[in-house]
């Protein structure tokens, strides 16, 4: 069994998760972890001029691999995220702790120098902290991290991920805007 700490630079240290990963009882056929990389089954998608991979990762792995680049705070390409809303994070944490699920994708932009490698229907991703920038889902990821800190078993919750590779700031911003301005929420009635 391998232990690692969720790299969550946007949460106080007392709320960061440290979770066991992939003992033999938790390993799925579609997803496998080694010490240096992840291997996940994927489905490749195309929209306009961009391709992406649809994969499934555990909540703990998403927390460990991803990071947030906020507008006005981060000096890097693709910094499109807004400021965090603590009440929204608490709401998501409570939703997850109460058994809520997330069937929609967390959208990530792979920024690691080592790109994902396709081999058949498998995608090989090098394991390193902060190698995937969050385009959409920062509150979900931080809320999940807070939920894992309270209930470590949630670290194994599998979530859908749309993984882009090496998008420019403009491309990341276009995807973020399409998701957050064009899509309309359903009224609860």
């Amino acid at each position: 069994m391998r232990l690692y700490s969720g790299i969550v630079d946007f949460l106080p240290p007392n709320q960061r998760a440290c979770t066991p990963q992939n003992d033999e009882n938790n390993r799925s056929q579609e997803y496998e972890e080694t010490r240096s990389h992840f291997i996940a089954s994927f489905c490749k998608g195309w929209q306009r001029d961009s391709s992406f991979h649809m994969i499934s990762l555990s909540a703990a792995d998403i927390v460990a691999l991803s990071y947030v680049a906020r507008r006005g705070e981060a000096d890097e390409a693709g910094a499109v995220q807004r400021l965090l809303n603590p009440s929204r994070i608490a709401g998501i944490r409570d939703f997850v702790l109460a058994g809520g699920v997330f069937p929609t994708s967390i959208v990530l932009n792979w920024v690691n120098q080592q790109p994902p490698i396709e081999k058949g229907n498998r995608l090989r991703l090098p394991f390193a902290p902060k190698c995937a920038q969050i385009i959409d889902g920062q509150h979900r990821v931080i809320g999940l991290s807070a939920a894992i800190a309270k209930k470590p078993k949630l670290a194994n919750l599998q979530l859908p991920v749309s993984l882009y590779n090496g998008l420019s700031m403009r491309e990341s911003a276009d995807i973020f805007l399409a998701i957050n301005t064009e899509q309309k929420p359903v009224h609860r009635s």
Side-chain angles (χ1 to χ4, degrees):
M1 180 183 332
R2 177 165 85 104
L3 296 175
Y4 69 86
S5 175
I7 308 298
V8 189
D9 59 352
F10 30 69
L11 284 179
N14 65 340
Q15 293 182 6
R16 295 180 187 171
C18 181
T19 58
Q21 288 298 300
N22 274 349
D23 64 17
E24 290 302 315
N25 297 327
N26 292 332
R27 186 168 293 167
S28 97
Q29 293 178 326
E30 296 300 310
Y31 178 74
E32 164 190 339
E33 178 189 355
T34 69
R35 293 195 187 279
S36 64
H37 64 275
F38 296 93
I39 297 175
S41 295
F42 74 92
C43 179
K44 193 161 190 173
W46 294 85
Q47 290 185 354
R48 308 233 178 206
D49 296 330
S50 297
S51 68
F52 59 95
H53 296 92
M54 291 295 302
I55 61 175
S56 176
L57 293 175
S58 73
D61 294 335
I62 293 169
V63 168
L65 294 171
S66 66
Y67 71 98
V68 177
R70 283 185 201 80
R71 282 185 302 221
E73 291 180 9
D75 186 28
E76 72 173 271
V80 297
Q81 292 297 321
R82 300 171 281 199
L83 294 177
L84 292 172
N85 179 332
S87 65
R88 187 163 178 213
I89 292 167
I92 291 170
R93 179 201 60 216
D94 294 344
F95 174 75
V96 173
L97 289 170
V101 296
F102 298 101
T104 58
S105 290
I106 291 172
V107 183
L108 302 176
N109 180 25
W110 191 262
V111 296
N112 190 305
Q113 300 254 334
Q114 295 179 304
I117 298 170
E118 292 180 17
K119 192 169 190 177
N121 68 341
R122 301 277 196 184
L123 188 66
R124 183 178 192 266
L125 304 165
F127 178 78
K130 294 188 173 188
C131 55
Q133 185 185 77
I134 298 173
I135 295 175
D136 187 62
Q138 72 170 346
H139 286 93
R140 282 176 283 165
V141 172
I142 298 166
L144 282 161
S145 181
I148 291 167
K150 288 189 174 259
K151 189 174 178 183
K153 203 177 240 189
L154 291 170
N156 295 318
L157 180 66
Q158 292 290 304
L159 298 163
V161 173
S162 295
L163 182 68
Y164 289 86
N165 183 33
L167 294 177
S168 69
M169 181 168 62
R170 176 69 184 185
E171 291 167 323
S172 294
D174 286 347
I175 292 169
F176 177 82
L177 289 171
I179 293 168
N180 290 288
T181 61
E182 298 300 323
Q183 297 180 10
K184 304 285 185 221
V186 176
H187 293 287
R188 295 181 185 210
S189 56

